[in-house]
Amino acid sequence: MSLDVHPISAFEDNYIWSIHNQQYCVVVDPGDATPVIEYCKDEQLTLVAILITHHHSDHTGGIDTLLQSYPDIPVYGPQNPKIQQITQRLKDGDHIELPHLKHNLSVMEVPGHTLDHITYYGEGSLFCGDTLFSAGCGRLFEGTPLQMFQSLAKFTALPRETKVFCTHEYTLANIKFAKAVEPDNQALVEYENWAVQQRINNLPTLPSTIEKEQNINPFLRCDMNTVITSVSKHKEALLTSEETVFASLRHWKDNF
Ligand SMILES: [Zn+2]
């Protein structure tokens, strides 16, 4: 069974994903409560759980206000005690059943962007927080390049048709960098045309899929000669492995 998922826009470029049926919904990373409350009212849905991927405030800032309206709902999230509102603390390999929705999701620990970062996967969908973006990946605020590389490898081991629900609309900016790395990647050029059109029509470029990202996202293509050549031209670094290519690529993007 596939999930019904709807984006709720928040702040400049965040998406709070709502997993829903006709009656109930669960939201992922509600950084702001107001658009979630409006969405539930407009769609006549009852919020039954909150899922959190990591501690950043643009992913957690709405929890308190939502709990005022829905005081008894579970809040799933990482072990990090700094996120005090979490009622169900999760670790790698845990499984959860979303209340009232009968959907099962499994939990993966994916350190890199932050050390507490977890993701939720199930029913053909991946809620990856700030770990993977379309045509890019999260900044390394707390983890090492190796940790992030290994976290992304968990995603590419998933079925290729898996839908990828990222939490930011960063696609067009990411494509600019991806084109600097692989100017001759035809799939990337075609993807840019599509993404530009989506944004002109005020539509999200998400969800993506694992397959799409493997074709256009340089951070998932560190084994490709085109990427290796481009990284080695840009930076004098000893590119001895995919991990070192990834680390140099991430460093390049940080200064792009
Ligand atoms: Zn973040």
Side-chain angles (χ1 to χ4, degrees):
M1 198 180 1
S2 71
L3 303 177
D4 283 323
V5 184
H6 178 85
I8 304 169
S9 292
F11 308 119
E12 280 278 283
D13 50 28
N14 284 63
Y15 292 123
I16 300 166
W17 295 104
S18 153
I19 307 166
H20 62 93
N21 59 16
Q22 299 306 313
Q23 215 180 341
Y24 299 107
C25 75
V26 169
V27 290
V28 185
D29 286 349
D32 189 3
T34 307
V36 175
I37 290 168
E38 278 171 13
Y39 163 81
C40 289
K41 200 172 149 216
D42 290 349
E43 303 295 321
Q44 296 182 300
L45 297 169
T46 303
L47 185 68
V48 290
I50 294 171
L51 305 184
I52 298 296
T53 62
H54 67 293
H55 69 87
H56 285 160
S57 62
D58 64 318
H59 297 250
T60 57
I63 302 174
D64 283 337
T65 306
L66 289 174
L67 290 177
Q68 284 167 16
S69 303
Y70 304 93
D72 298 320
I73 62 171
V75 182
Y76 297 89
Q79 298 286 330
N80 187 352
K82 272 196 249 167
I83 318 169
Q84 291 169 5
Q85 306 94 329
I86 288 173
T87 59
Q88 324 281 326
R89 296 196 182 272
L90 303 169
K91 58 182 189 317
D92 201 65
D94 280 350
H95 292 268
I96 60 174
E97 184 177 312
L98 300 180
H100 301 284
L101 292 174
K102 305 280 177 229
H103 291 308
N104 288 294
L105 298 176
S106 60
V107 175
M108 285 186 273
E109 289 178 7
V110 287
H113 176 67
T114 62
L115 290 176
D116 67 350
H117 207 303
I118 60 172
T119 58
Y120 301 89
Y121 167 72
E123 326 268 354
S125 296
L126 173 70
F127 297 89
C128 62
D130 284 352
T131 301
L132 181 64
F133 296 118
S134 187
C137 75
R139 274 180 187 270
L140 304 179
F141 285 112
E142 297 172 10
T144 65
L146 178 61
Q147 281 177 316
M148 188 59 140
F149 179 81
Q150 289 169 338
S151 294
L152 293 174
K154 291 184 179 181
F155 298 163
T156 51
L158 297 173
R160 293 167 67 79
E161 65 277 11
T162 302
K163 289 181 188 164
V164 180
F165 294 89
C166 320
T167 45
H168 287 276
E169 182 60 65
Y170 286 161
T171 308
L172 291 182
N174 285 341
I175 288 173
K176 280 201 180 80
F177 175 73
K179 279 173 70 183
V181 180
E182 287 190 290
D184 299 324
N185 181 343
Q186 197 50 38
L188 181 60
V189 173
E190 285 166 24
Y191 184 59
E192 181 181 37
N193 292 336
W194 174 83
V196 165
Q197 205 53 49
Q198 288 293 105
R199 298 310 293 147
I200 286 171
N201 295 328
N202 207 21
L203 293 170
T205 59
L206 303 167
S208 186
T209 65
I210 294 293
E211 179 172 27
K212 209 185 277 181
E213 293 308 311
Q214 284 184 314
N215 289 329
I216 59 103
N217 189 327
F219 292 97
L220 302 185
R221 295 167 60 78
C222 292
D223 59 334
M224 302 294 288
N225 281 332
T226 45
V227 175
I228 297 166
T229 306
S230 200
V231 170
S232 62
K233 270 188 204 158
H234 180 75
K235 193 168 176 277
E236 287 292 319
L238 209 52
L239 302 175
T240 51
S241 63
E242 270 184 62
E243 294 95 298
T244 52
V245 174
F246 177 83
S248 295
L249 192 61
R250 186 59 258 182
H251 187 258
W252 181 4
K253 174 79 172 12
D254 289 341
N255 298 291
F256 185 69

